[in-house]
Amino acid sequence: MNSATFPKRSAPARTRCSQGTVELLAERAEAKSIELASWVLEDVPCHLRGDPGRLRQVLTNLLGNAIKFTERGEVVVRVSKENESEEHVTIRCAVADTGIGIPHEAQNKLFQAFTQADGSLTRRYGGTGLGLAISKQLVELMGGQIGMESTPGQGSTFWFVVRLEKQPPGTTYFFKRPRGNLENLRVLVVDDNATNRQILQHQTKSRKMRASTAVNGAEALELLRREAATGDAFNLVILDLQMPEMDGLTLAQTIRADPLIQKARLVMLTSLGLRLDAEAWRSAGIDAYLVKPVKESRLFDCLATVMAETTVPIAGHPDALHAAGAPGRVRALNPRHVRILMAEDNVVNQKVGLRQLKKLGYAADAVANGMEAVEALKRIPYDVVLMDCHMPELDGYEATRLIRQMEMGKNDPQRPPAYIIALTANALESDREKCLAAGMNDYISKPVKLPELQAVLQEAASFVRPVAARKRTENSGGNNEAVIDGSVLAGLRELQEPGGPDAVVELIELFLRDTPVKIQSMQSAIARSDGLALQESAHSLKGSASNLGARRLAKLCAELERLPKEGKLAEASDLFGKLNEEYGRVCFILEQEKEKPIESL
């Protein structure tokens, strides 16, 4: 494989993009009850130029392997600065896990395609060699280095070092300005996981907050009461929901029941897979919650919003609109009581967005442009609008201006203004100003990730007064294509003979055994620019994927098979990267299917 196979790109590459990659794999880690965290050190510049696609693929491969080979404990991404010159910064990205580790004799061969550390591990976890081999090539094509350290039985750390170009002035991305002053704030972090405590303490101290930590609820209560008695009480408590002995909800209720410490603001850290109950949060006195792994920008947005509730908005401040009229306590939105409108012209994005909202418990309607959004709000009092900024006929900015004019004209106290969240692909400083000028309340970057969406909707809770639950017509078009089509597996299970081996498990094991060879054949064909061999390998995998209901994988195979016929072999490397990522997701789901007992199917 040479540089012609993977053409070099230079584009804005945010070092915090590691947090976005971590979010993509959060559900996989949650399924195994593994703590997943991202730590970008304070001295690492946020905005650099490099090849974000390659960086993301390498990090995805390393993270995916770490989660796969870790049965308990944690996986942590740590981004640090190696050195810096006037024009460049060299960063080090390390993925550390508490997994099974790798035997010393196998470590030197690990970055060769489909080298396995141990045959029994291969059968249990599947191949890792291709992803590491590709990662090594990608890092070297960027002029970097990749390596690892591992201790069998204790875990591994895979790392890569790359040199990135500093962003020229005026092209940096924006974050919302804080709505509350966090400096000198007394913060207590309560989490039984030492890495999470360390990361949160580092992040809060970097914003000049006075941070302390506690390992469990009993220690937290002791600290809170002692400091309150000395006259230097904690202003804010960040507490994990899932802790041994005393969980986060119990701790929150205990804090609220104690007059000495009940004034502290409470922010809960929850897991992605947890279905939130608005009444449970309210009864426990929770001010806000954040979904782990916690993105740094969302953490500070949340803390600033929570602390701003006791402050008076500054006249003329761009965020004054957000704080005005905020209630005395952040509320948890009950999805059943919230009307959401999504304005998005891209059909795929629309379907994905509706499916994400449905997963979070929200029902939503969708329109295809700004004009339809304005007309919809004339008829229905939507509480929240997810507004794409760039749409045909009428873009999101102009649509928002018309909506705000319409609201001011009606001046209806029974119908508060819609909370409009911009969907923006770039989030540049110029976009920020346009969003504020148009009257939008918040933003979320595309592609939209589930934890980010959940967090931004939670933030809307401070400003939204939902209309009572009404009967809604469910949007049947909101289903996004799953990694595995369950109906295909259900049909295969109908072939099950009574008392015989599980037919589905046999087919899955066959797929997991044979597919790595097909993947390797495709990789070799792309490296040799052998279009015919690529077509044959892609066609073969397409059939295998279709038979097990892996429709997205089959579709990617079909696209890859078509490229040589259309004379577009140069595009194969990028598409192969997507196919490889989807293959990893398919393997993960199929491994779960294998564990299901026959009688429960």
Side-chain angles (χ1 to χ4, degrees):
M1 192 180 301
N2 53 43
S3 59
T5 309
F6 289 117
K8 188 175 181 180
R9 293 182 177 85
S10 179
R14 298 178 61 201
T15 53
R16 268 68 180 175
C17 76
S18 65
Q19 297 173 333
T21 306
V22 169
E23 286 178 343
L24 288 175
L25 296 172
E27 196 164 0
R28 193 185 301 183
E30 171 67 20
K32 298 182 71 175
S33 299
I34 298 169
E35 286 283 350
L36 185 59
S38 173
W39 187 3
V40 182
L41 270 64
E42 184 183 0
D43 63 346
V44 177
C46 188
H47 310 293
L48 302 167
R49 289 190 69 83
D51 193 325
R54 286 177 177 172
L55 291 169
R56 191 176 298 112
Q57 184 175 352
V58 173
L59 186 54
T60 299
N61 284 341
L62 298 186
L63 266 175
N65 282 344
I67 294 170
K68 182 189 296 185
F69 286 96
T70 302
E71 291 299 326
R72 62 182 63 85
E74 64 188 27
V75 174
V76 181
V77 181
R78 189 176 187 269
V79 182
S80 57
K81 183 177 72 175
E82 291 267 297
N83 56 65
E84 182 176 3
S85 66
E86 190 173 336
E87 296 181 349
H88 295 88
V89 175
T90 301
I91 66 165
R92 177 187 177 92
C93 182
V95 179
D97 65 62
T98 57
I100 58 176
I102 298 166
H104 296 292
E105 61 272 15
Q107 294 181 16
N108 292 334
K109 300 178 181 179
L110 206 59
F111 290 96
Q112 298 175 13
F114 284 92
T115 295
Q116 301 299 334
D118 183 281
S120 62
L121 301 183
T122 304
R123 290 188 295 273
R124 185 175 179 186
Y125 296 100
T128 64
L130 178 62
L132 292 177
I134 291 177
S135 296
K136 183 176 187 292
Q137 291 168 323
L138 290 175
V139 169
E140 290 176 349
L141 287 172
M142 290 186 285
Q145 295 176 303
I146 190 169
M148 57 83 65
E149 299 91 29
S150 181
T151 303
Q154 295 183 22
S156 306
T157 298
F158 284 80
W159 55 265
F160 63 91
V161 175
V162 290
R163 191 176 76 149
L164 301 174
E165 183 184 352
K166 290 183 177 179
Q167 278 269 59
T171 59
T172 56
Y173 291 72
F174 72 84
F175 293 101
K176 294 176 292 180
R177 295 178 189 170
R179 299 184 186 85
N181 184 16
L182 301 178
E183 190 171 333
N184 208 36
L185 194 72
R186 286 219 72 186
V187 179
L188 179 62
V189 176
V190 190
D191 197 319
D192 61 302
N193 182 278
T195 302
N196 285 341
R197 290 197 308 274
Q198 186 181 16
I199 292 173
L200 287 166
Q201 185 176 31
H202 171 85
Q203 290 174 335
T204 49
K205 282 187 174 181
S206 73
R207 295 297 180 98
K208 299 182 179 179
M209 290 178 252
R210 294 186 292 149
S212 302
T213 64
V215 177
N216 52 47
E219 184 180 345
L221 290 170
E222 182 183 349
L223 271 170
L224 287 165
R225 289 163 178 159
R226 186 182 69 203
E227 296 304 296
T230 64
D232 191 18
F234 284 97
N235 309 104
L236 177 72
V237 182
I238 302 173
L239 57 162
D240 188 31
L241 176 61
Q242 294 173 303
M243 294 187 291
E245 298 177 13
M246 183 187 297
D247 64 24
L249 278 179
T250 304
L251 176 58
Q253 291 166 341
T254 306
I255 292 171
R256 289 289 179 235
D258 188 333
L260 184 63
I261 57 177
Q262 64 184 192
K263 292 183 180 180
R265 301 285 178 175
L266 305 181
V267 175
M268 184 74 78
L269 305 182
T270 76
S271 298
L272 178 64
L274 182 67
R275 179 52 66 90
L276 302 173
D277 184 333
E279 291 303 321
W281 295 123
R282 274 194 287 268
S283 63
I286 302 299
D287 291 285
Y289 65 83
L290 288 165
V291 182
K292 296 193 296 182
V294 179
K295 198 170 183 179
E296 190 173 339
S297 61
R298 187 59 64 188
L299 170 68
F300 294 130
D301 258 349
C302 176
L303 299 188
T305 300
V306 167
M307 297 312 300
E309 292 170 26
T310 57
T311 64
V312 179
I314 302 171
H317 190 281
D319 289 318
L321 173 65
H322 304 312
R329 183 167 301 286
V330 176
R331 298 165 300 175
L333 281 179
N334 187 332
R336 293 175 298 175
H337 297 166
V338 181
R339 281 185 177 272
I340 297 179
L341 176 69
M342 170 172 279
E344 168 66 74
D345 64 302
N346 184 293
V347 176
V348 174
N349 291 347
Q350 192 181 99
K351 286 187 175 182
V352 171
L354 290 171
R355 179 57 183 257
Q356 288 175 322
L357 289 167
K358 185 176 181 180
K359 184 176 179 67
L360 295 175
Y362 296 92
D365 299 321
V367 294
N369 58 59
M371 187 59 71
E372 291 181 4
V374 174
E375 292 300 318
L377 278 158
K378 287 180 181 178
R379 301 189 304 271
I380 300 172
Y382 288 101
D383 304 299
V384 177
V385 180
L386 296 169
M387 183 78 76
D388 185 25
C389 292
H390 301 286
M391 293 183 290
E393 296 188 36
L394 191 69
D395 66 23
Y397 303 113
E398 191 58 36
T400 300
R401 291 189 188 95
L402 292 177
I403 290 167
R404 295 306 186 209
Q405 291 173 8
M406 181 174 67
E407 290 169 341
M408 290 177 65
K410 291 185 177 181
N411 194 25
D412 185 356
Q414 300 302 316
R415 185 173 170 178
Y419 190 88
I420 301 178
I421 301 168
L423 302 175
T424 172
N426 299 315
L428 295 170
E429 181 64 29
S430 57
D431 293 296
R432 178 190 194 283
E433 298 305 326
K434 288 182 73 174
C435 289
L436 291 173
M440 295 176 176
N441 301 86
D442 205 343
Y443 73 91
I444 187 169
S445 298
K446 298 198 297 185
V448 176
K449 303 175 185 69
L450 192 64
E452 283 280 275
L453 180 61
Q454 187 170 19
V456 81
L457 290 173
Q458 162 60 19
E459 195 161 322
S462 301
F463 316 104
V464 170
R465 285 187 288 163
V467 181
R470 297 184 176 96
K471 185 177 179 181
R472 298 179 176 89
T473 302
E474 289 205 4
N475 191 329
S476 60
N479 290 328
N480 184 27
E481 190 178 10
V483 176
I484 298 292
D485 185 342
S487 64
V488 175
L489 295 183
L492 292 172
R493 287 189 172 105
E494 292 178 0
L495 304 175
Q496 179 69 41
E497 294 286 342
D502 191 331
V504 171
V505 170
E506 287 185 341
L507 290 170
I508 289 174
E509 288 180 342
L510 185 64
F511 176 87
L512 295 176
R513 187 186 68 210
D514 292 349
T515 301
V517 178
K518 296 173 183 176
I519 295 280
Q520 188 176 25
S521 297
M522 279 189 275
Q523 180 198 14
S524 300
I526 292 171
R528 301 192 312 269
S529 297
D530 188 339
L532 183 60
L534 178 61
Q535 284 179 246
E536 291 176 355
S537 300
H539 181 80
S540 177
L541 180 54
K542 179 180 69 176
S544 301
S546 298
N547 288 335
L548 283 174
R551 299 195 187 281
R552 288 201 306 235
L553 181 60
K555 184 178 179 182
L556 288 168
C557 289
E559 293 175 14
L560 202 57
E561 180 185 6
R562 192 170 60 246
L563 289 182
K565 301 176 185 177
E566 298 176 351
K568 298 178 180 179
L569 194 57
E571 300 177 15
S573 57
D574 285 342
L575 188 56
F576 177 75
K578 296 178 183 177
L579 183 147
N580 192 42
E581 290 180 16
E582 181 64 20
Y583 169 61
R585 287 188 282 267
V586 169
C587 288
F588 176 73
I589 297 298
L590 291 180
E591 288 286 0
Q592 290 182 318
E593 290 291 334
K594 282 173 57 180
E595 300 303 318
K596 292 182 179 179
I598 297 176
E599 59 269 20
S600 69
L601 303 174

